[in-house]
Amino acid sequence: MNRQRSTFLITILCFGYAFLYIPIVMVVIYSFNDSRIVSVWGGFSFRWYLQLLENRQIIEAALLSLRIAFVSATVATALGTLAGLALARMGRFRGRILFTGMIAAPLVMPEVITGLSLLLLFVSLQDLVGWPGGRGAATITIGHITFSMAYVAVIVQSRLMSLDESLQEAAMDLGGRPFRVTLDITLPIIAPALLSGWLLAFTLSLDDLVIASFVSGPGASTLPMWIFSKIRLGVTPDINALATVIITIVSLGVVIAGWLMFRQEKQRQRDVQ
Amino acid sequence: MTQVSPAQSAEKPAWLDPATKPFIRVEGVTKNFNGFTAVDNVDLEIYQGELFAILGGSGCGKTTLLRILAGFERPTSGRILIDGADMTAVPPYERPVNMMFQSYAVFPHMTVEKNVAYGLKKEGAPKAEIQTRVKEMLELVQLDGFAERKPHQLSGGQRQRVALARALVKRPKVLLLDEPLAALDKKLREHTQFELMNIQDQIGVTFIVVTHDQDEAMTLATRIAVMQAGRFIQCGTPKEIYEYPVNRYVADFFGTINLFEGTVSRVEGEGMEVECGAIDAMVKAKSFETIQPNTRLTIAVRPEKISITKEPPDHNDKSVLKGVVWDLGYHGNLSIYRVKTDSGVIVQVSAQNRIRSAERVLEWDDVVYLSWDVQSSVVLTE
Ligand SMILES: Nc1ncnc2c1ncn2[C@@H]1O[C@H](COP(=O)(O)OP(=O)(O)O)[C@@H](O)[C@H]1O
Ligand SMILES: [Mg+2]
C-alpha cells in the first residue's frame, strides 16, 4: 500500500518536473545544434555562441540590461531596506496591516497595469516639468526600481520581524544612539537578507519585458525586448544560445540567493537556542 | 578591591538608617498598555550596593518595571529618580544603568571581545583603555580564553556571562538583571547564583534582579519586593518576608506553610485566642495591630516551628493539636511528617534529625501532639 502510493507520487513528481524543465532543457540542447533549422538536429557545435559574440546589437542590449539591473537592484535595495526598517520600527500602530499590505501590493499588480501607469506618469511629468526629456534607460531603471523595491521591502521586513528586538535595545542600553544601532547591529545581522533581496531585484530586472516595453523609448532595447522583437521574425538558433546564457546567469543568482536564505535560517535557529 | 558595598558592611542596613539617601527612587509609577495596567502605582527605594530582588509570578509586571528603569518604556504616570536626578524622560543610551536581558541579547555577529567592548566604544573611550578593561572584565567572569569566539560557539552559561560582562564593563551605577538564571539548568544555576553574589560584592554595583524563583530571591537578595498583578504587596529582607508575611499569597509563595482559618474569640492586650473550626482547636497568637473579637482571620504556622511529641506538652501557653502520623519522609537532615488531626486536616511538620539512629522515633499511625509558641502563629488578616 505504502509502496504503491510512493511509486504513484514519484510518477506525478516526474511529470511535474518534466513539464517544468523539458522546454528549458530543449532550449539548452538546441543551442548546441549545428543545423540552421531549429527543429532538426545537425550535430554538436558552439557556432551560435561564437556568432552571439559577434552580434553588436545583442552585446549592447545585454550590457544595457545588466546596467539597468545593477543600478535598479542597488537603489531598490536601499529604498526597500529603509521602507522595511521603518515599517518594523514603528511598532504596532493603527493601520499597520494596511501599510504592510500596500507595500506588497505591487507584487500582485499585473505588470501591464504597472507599465501603463508608469508610462502615463512619465508622459505627464514631461508635460509638467519637462523631465524626463525622453524615455530610455533612465525611465526603465525607475520603473524597475518601483516594483523590485516592494520585493526587497517585504524580505527585509519579514527578516526584521523575526529579529530579537532586545538585540537593538541592548545596544541602545550600552550607549548606542538609534541611528548607530541600526548601522552597528541591525544591518550587519540582516545583511544576508539584503543580499538576497538585491539578487532577487537583479534577476527581476533582467527578466522584465512588459514594463520595459511600456516605458522604453526608441533608442533603448533591453535584452528581453530585443529577443522578443527578433522572435516575431522567427526563432533563430543564436537565440537558443542567448537563452542558455541567460538561464545560466539567472539560475546562479537564484542558487546563491537560496543558499544565503538557507544559511540565514540556520543562523537564526542557532540564535534562538 | 577596596570598595565595599555599604548595604552589607554598615552596622545598620541602609534602608533602616534615615541618614542615607536612597540611590533609586520610584515614585508612584504606573504603566498602562491600551487599558491594561501592567505596573500599578509602585513606590520603591533602593540603596547603593544593595542586591534587590523583585519577585513575582509570570506576567505580574516585573519585566515592565525593569524596562521602565532602563528607559525602554515611558511610565504612564510617576517618576524615576537615580542618584537624585529625574530620569523619567531620559533615553536608555543616556542613563547610568545597564540591563542584562532575559534572552541575554548577545550580538550574534560579534566576537565575545567585541561584544564586551561595544559599550566602551560608544562612550568613546581610548583604545588602550578599552583593551585593558575588556580583558579585566573577561577575567572577572572567567571567559579569558574565549575572547575570539562567536556567540554560537558558546554554551548558555557562557553567553550569560558575556551579557553580564558587557553590562558591567561600563561601570554602571545600577545593573538591572531580568531573570538572569532562568535559562540555566539547576546545577549551573546554583553555581552562578554564588558567582553573581561574589561579583556584586567585589565591584559594589547596585543590582536589581527580577526573578520568579523564591529560592533564588532568598539566597541572593538583601531585600525582596513581592509583586502581584502589577502591585508591590510586600517589601523587606528575606527573613522578614519569610517570618512575617503580610498575606496568604506571600506566606504560600515562600516555602511550605500551614494555614488555619478561624475567628477571634478572646483578645487580651497583644495576645488573642483564635477558634479554628477546621482543626477544632484554640490557637494562641499575638498581633501588633489591634484586632476586634469575632474578626475572621487566618493563622499561618511554618512546619519547622511546630514540635511533634508523643506526650502532651506540659506548658499551657502553647497551641496544641492532637493527631496521628499519616505520612513521613526522611530527608537526611530533616524528617517531614504529615499529621492528620482528629478533625481530618493534614498538618505538615518538619523536625531536625538530631539523634543518629537507624530506627525511627515516630512511626506511621503513632498518636502525636503538635505544639507551637505564641510567636510562631502568624496572623493574616487578608
Ligand atoms: N508592549 C506591551 N504591550 C501590551 N502589553 C504588554 C506589553 N508588555 C507587557 N505587556 C503585558 O504586561 C503584563 C506584564 O508583563 P511583564 O512585565 O513582561 O511580566 P513578567 O516579566 O512579570 O512576566 C503582561 O500581561 C503582558 O502581556
Ligand atoms: Mg519577564
Side-chain angles (χ1 to χ4, degrees), chain B residues 329-349:
Chain B
Y330 180 71
H331 292 260
N333 55 342
L334 280 182
S335 287
I336 310 276
Y337 301 94
R338 288 157 65 75
V339 175
K340 193 173 190 176
T341 64
D342 293 346
S343 53
V345 175
I346 302 284
V347 178
Q348 186 157 326
V349 180

Side-chain angles (χ1 to χ4, degrees), chain B residues 62-63 102 178-179:
Chain B
K62 307 179 299 284
T63 298
Q102 196 162 1
D178 193 358
E179 313 233 358

Side-chain angles (χ1 to χ4, degrees), chain B residues 268-332:
Chain B
E268 208 180 281
E270 283 181 349
M272 67 180 106
E273 279 187 349
V274 181
E275 183 170 358
C276 296
I279 48 173
D280 201 9
M282 279 294 198
V283 175
K284 297 188 177 67
K286 260 188 190 174
S287 172
F288 302 114
E289 293 170 51
T290 43
I291 287 177
Q292 300 302 321
N294 292 326
T295 317
R296 286 202 61 78
L297 43 70
T298 306
I299 298 292
V301 190
R302 294 279 177 202
E304 73 275 10
K305 302 283 191 300
I306 302 176
S307 31
I308 182 166
T309 47
K310 278 187 173 170
E311 307 298 322
D314 38 11
H315 294 289
N316 60 358
D317 57 343
K318 294 195 174 197
S319 310
V320 185
L321 294 178
K322 185 163 161 266
V324 292
V325 177
W326 181 252
D327 196 2
L328 59 84
Y330 180 71
H331 292 260

Side-chain angles (χ1 to χ4, degrees), chain B residues 157 181-195 213 216:
Chain B
L181 309 176
L184 307 181
D185 58 52
K186 193 169 182 304
K187 205 163 165 148
L188 193 57
R189 192 155 66 216
E190 281 169 11
H191 176 74
T192 314
Q193 258 176 25
F194 287 101
E195 241 174 30
D213 180 337
E216 192 174 297

Side-chain angles (χ1 to χ4, degrees), chain A residues 92, chain B residues 33 36 38 57-64 73:
Chain A
R92 297 183 200 106
Chain B
F33 291 114
F36 173 81
S58 174
C60 72
K62 307 179 299 284
T63 298
T64 307
E73 308 276 0

